[in-house]
Amino acid sequence: MNDLRELLIREADRVQPKGDLDDVYRRADRQQRHTKTRNVALSAAALLVFVGGALTVSSSNSSKIRTSPQSEVTEASLGGMVISDAKGTASYKAFTLDRRDPDAAGGPYSLVVRAKDGSMIQRTAVVTYLPKVVATVVVRPETIEASGVTEQLIAREGGTLRVRAVGLTAAEISGISDATQVVDARLVVALSSLPKFSVVASGSWSPSTVREARYGCADLGEIDTQGLCYTGLTFSPGFEDALFEAGFQPGPLVAGRPSAVSNVSGGSGTLAWEPRPGVIAYIGYSANPVFSDPSTIDAMARLAERVRILSPDEWTATNPMAVTQTNRWIDR
């Protein structure tokens, strides 16, 4: 018991838990019938702002070009994610955590360009602008063998455009890079030249806030280990880019959607999926056995089927502890 307590405290950056997730579950159950219509409407509205919103800009010849949206849904509007039916008797009580990175906005800017028949790890690309980074060649096709990811570097004034893609042809990748322009250190995509694609996420590569719920794995009843299990929810396109950089393997379907198994977001590994396009959810843990074990991956997928996404107010009600740290998805 004491060893587990020390592990969870250390993994939480020495932040003591105060949230009462059991109470949140009870209140969420009571409110579910009353808030279902409201939440669906709010989710649809947020998705329309984030994905479907478009702006019109004037080119030098005064023609109108439909481009990718400039506005973004913030992490504050997303809420968080917890696992249902977690027990509190076998180990240290579950708690929630806000990981805040005050320097995130100063990092690279990225966006996800997704084929309309694509998903998080299928027929999708992440475009990142790297200011003050000079490409040694104009275009460098390179296949990252671990996951069949193709990378291109394109020299642009003041920096480099990096395109990482999976499941796209060379012509499609070139079309995405040709349609992408840098405006005030941000990226805009001329969607009129990409009728089979849409922009599903945009923002800084590292998110300013990562919201996690943390548990003793033994409380969850799926993995025979005394380690730490956790959830996360994010809009950041950097997570998908980190998948492509670090390598991943396809995981089991979660709620009918593809998932990716990787070491992105620390610990012994994570299983990530999209509850809706552009929103990344993940389940992770820090313990033995190794995450690549098939039975462990299946257990994490079962946990993923038990998650509940909380509204911002419901997340605040868990009294999440705040810790300041760097929110890079992978160590470099």
Side-chain angles (χ1 to χ4, degrees):
M1 177 75 72
N2 290 335
D3 290 342
L4 179 59
R5 179 187 177 91
E6 292 175 2
L7 170 65
L8 294 182
I9 294 173
R10 186 168 60 252
E11 290 288 344
D13 298 315
R14 300 181 182 180
V15 178
Q16 295 294 331
K18 294 182 181 178
D20 187 352
L21 295 189
D22 292 335
D23 181 61
V24 171
Y25 297 147
R26 288 193 296 270
R27 287 186 288 103
D29 284 334
R30 289 196 302 268
Q31 294 174 358
Q32 188 173 19
R33 290 189 300 272
H34 301 291
T35 61
K36 182 177 180 181
T37 301
R38 182 197 66 186
N39 289 343
V40 168
L42 289 175
S43 297
L47 189 59
L48 285 173
V49 170
F50 192 70
V51 179
L55 64 94
T56 302
V57 298
S58 297
S59 66
S60 58
N61 61 3
S62 299
S63 63
K64 300 296 185 178
I65 302 173
R66 190 169 63 91
T67 69
S68 56
Q70 292 286 322
S71 60
E72 303 160 19
V73 175
T74 65
E75 290 96 352
S77 68
L78 186 61
M81 186 170 71
V82 296
I83 301 176
S84 300
D85 303 322
K87 308 301 180 184
T89 57
S91 68
Y92 202 52
K93 189 172 179 57
F95 64 100
T96 55
L97 184 70
D98 281 349
R99 296 167 37 196
R100 296 175 180 170
D101 184 350
D103 300 321
Y109 186 88
S110 300
L111 52 78
V112 178
V113 181
R114 178 78 50 76
K116 293 181 179 179
D117 61 347
S119 69
M120 181 180 66
I121 56 174
Q122 299 171 356
R123 292 188 50 72
T124 188
V126 180
V127 186
T128 302
Y129 176 61
L130 305 171
K132 301 180 181 180
V133 174
V134 179
T136 56
V137 293
V138 175
V139 178
R140 185 191 70 186
E142 177 182 337
T143 298
I144 303 173
E145 295 181 359
S147 309
V149 176
T150 300
E151 178 180 288
Q152 289 187 355
L153 298 179
I154 301 94
R156 291 290 171 87
E157 183 177 355
T160 294
L161 201 66
R162 183 181 68 207
V163 183
R164 287 177 172 153
V166 61
L168 300 180
T169 66
E172 288 172 325
I173 296 171
S174 295
I176 291 171
S177 61
D178 291 344
T180 303
Q181 299 298 321
V182 181
V183 178
D184 296 330
R186 292 198 168 196
L187 302 177
V188 292
V189 180
L191 294 176
S192 55
S193 65
L194 299 170
K196 296 182 180 180
F197 290 83
S198 61
V199 175
V200 300
S202 62
S204 59
W205 195 92
S206 296
S208 59
T209 303
V210 176
R211 293 182 172 85
E212 292 185 347
R214 299 191 172 191
Y215 306 84
C217 291
D219 290 344
L220 301 175
E222 296 289 357
I223 303 173
D224 186 16
T225 179
Q226 292 298 312
L228 169 75
C229 289
Y230 55 94
T231 72
L233 193 67
T234 180
F235 278 120
S236 173
F239 192 101
E240 188 168 336
D241 190 61
L243 283 178
F244 295 167
E245 179 174 336
F248 66 89
Q249 68 181 75
L253 293 178
V254 176
R257 298 175 176 87
S259 71
V261 175
S262 73
N263 63 0
V264 174
S265 195
S268 301
T270 56
L271 183 144
W273 71 100
E274 285 185 313
R276 64 178 188 264
V279 177
I280 302 290
Y282 59 88
I283 299 281
Y285 90 113
S286 182
N288 287 318
V290 255
F291 196 77
S292 57
D293 178 74
S295 62
T296 304
I297 294 173
D298 289 341
M300 300 304 285
R302 291 193 294 272
L303 290 177
E305 295 287 356
R306 289 165 48 185
V307 301
R308 171 175 294 153
I309 296 177
L310 303 182
S311 70
D313 287 345
E314 289 171 331
W315 180 258
T316 300
T318 70
N319 296 320
M321 296 296 94
V323 57
T324 300
Q325 65 178 66
T326 299
N327 281 339
R328 287 192 298 265
W329 292 117
I330 53 178
D331 293 328
R332 293 174 169 175

